[in-house]
Every structure is written in C-alpha cells, then in structure tokens.
Amino acid sequence: FFVRKGGECKLAITKERKEELVAQYVEWIHASKAIYITEYTGLTMKQIEDLRGKAREVGGVFHIAKNTLTKIALEQAGYQVPEELVTGSTAVGFALEDAPSLAKTMSDFARTSDKLKIKGGFLHQAPIKAKDVTALAELPPLPIMRAQLLGVLLAPAGKLVRTLAEPGRSLAAVLQANLDKQNSPAEAPAA
C-alpha cells in the first residue's frame, strides 16, 4: 500500500521487510572491509544500476537504504554513527573484498556525476570522512599492493644471496684461471 508523505506517494515497508533489510545490512557490515555512505539525490535508475554493476565487479555492494534502517543496522553491528551520515537520500557501498577498489569506483562515479556525493563511512569500524574515502581511492588495487610488498620483502633476501655467493664465484674464477694456466701448452722460448 502507498502512504502520502509531503506530497509524494511512497510505498510503505512492512515491519517484517524492515527487519529483513536490517539483518541483510548487518550481514554486509560484518563482511565489509569498509563502508561508504553517499547521498544520491537526482541519480536515475540507470545510473544507480551502472554503479551497482561496477561495485559488484570489484567485490562490493551498492544499496539504496533508508536512513533509520541504516543507523539501526550500524548500531546493531557496534558502530558509533555520526548523524550527518544518515541524513538526506542515502545509499551505502559495502566493500566486501577490497576497500580501495570500491572507494575508487564510487569516487570515479562521483567525479563524473554531481548527483552522487560521498558523505563518509567506516574503515574497520573507525569513522572516516569523504576526503579519507578519496584518499583510499588513490591507493593501488590489492593485487598490485601485494606484488609491491612482496618485491620490497624479497629485495633484501636477493641481495643477501648475491652477497653470500660472490666469494664463491671469485674463488671459482681464480681456480679456473689457475687450471687454464696449467693446462695450456708451454710457450716455446724465444730464439
């Protein structure tokens, strides 16, 4: 059934559906590396679906949410919710796999559309501001970060192996030169 609110007709949500949504949000919150809260006033359904698809591609979920249900779910999950995060039209991005990738996806979308504004969010239960989400977006994707870290960790080990092997190589070169000298035919004396 529909409820008239402020001149608009809105579909009323049953209590059971609200409980289902809160349970789903709590599940996503617990599974998330980061949570990004946005304001989406004026986005078309096509734009929202585009953003949802891009979020799925990077292992995230983008969901339009009622402020009261979002606040209830965050509080049930143990988060302290700043009031400014749950005002206006709210959509939430849940980074289920890689926090920087979803931050980049949402930041890029917000850069191309003035109708999506990142309000802030949470990184491991710590509140973050919009500028922090933008900073996360500038980090390289997780596989690249892992490769860079592995390179940093392996560099000293490789240098150590080369350093330890060098005296052996030098000794082998001296021995080979000596062996070559002994096996070479004697030069004839000059006449």
Side-chain angles (χ1 to χ4, degrees):
F1 65 95
F2 287 91
V3 176
R4 185 166 290 280
K5 183 176 182 181
E8 297 178 30
C9 284
K10 293 194 174 199
L11 184 62
I13 300 176
T14 64
K15 183 178 180 184
E16 292 78 25
R17 180 65 182 140
K18 288 178 182 178
E19 290 170 355
E20 289 172 10
L21 286 170
V22 168
Q24 178 64 67
Y25 296 163
V26 169
E27 184 180 321
W28 283 336
I29 291 166
H30 286 305
S32 293
K33 311 273 189 271
I35 301 162
Y36 308 119
I37 301 176
T38 67
E39 186 172 327
Y40 69 95
T41 303
L43 284 180
T44 66
M45 277 311 293
K46 182 178 179 348
Q47 290 172 315
I48 292 169
E49 287 304 316
D50 280 350
L51 186 50
R52 282 183 176 150
K54 289 175 182 179
R56 274 191 300 274
E57 287 174 13
V58 295
V61 174
F62 182 77
H63 193 79
I64 293 173
K66 291 182 105 7
N67 288 321
T68 53
L69 300 182
T70 302
K71 185 174 182 178
I72 290 168
L74 286 165
E75 287 174 347
Q76 281 184 11
Y79 288 70
Q80 297 292 325
V81 185
E83 203 58 42
E84 65 270 11
L85 291 182
V86 287
T87 57
S89 61
T90 299
V92 183
F94 300 93
L96 303 176
E97 291 179 14
D98 185 22
S101 292
L102 184 59
K104 180 169 179 40
T105 297
M106 293 176 68
S107 291
D108 289 350
F109 195 92
R111 224 182 333 273
T112 62
S113 170
D114 61 343
K115 299 190 179 3
L116 182 75
K117 292 180 179 53
I118 298 172
K119 296 192 243 180
F122 298 91
L123 183 62
H124 301 291
Q125 288 198 331
I128 57 175
K129 297 189 181 308
K131 66 180 171 91
D132 300 325
V133 177
T134 305
L136 269 173
E138 293 171 5
L139 290 174
L142 191 57
I144 292 172
M145 287 179 61
R146 285 181 178 151
Q148 289 172 341
L149 179 61
L150 189 59
V152 167
L153 293 175
L154 291 179
K159 187 175 180 179
L160 177 64
V161 167
R162 286 190 299 279
T163 301
L164 291 175
E166 188 56 38
R169 266 189 291 237
S170 297
L171 179 61
V174 168
L175 291 175
Q176 186 63 46
N178 191 24
L179 186 62
D180 290 346
K181 185 177 177 184
Q182 288 178 354
N183 289 337
S184 67
E187 292 183 23

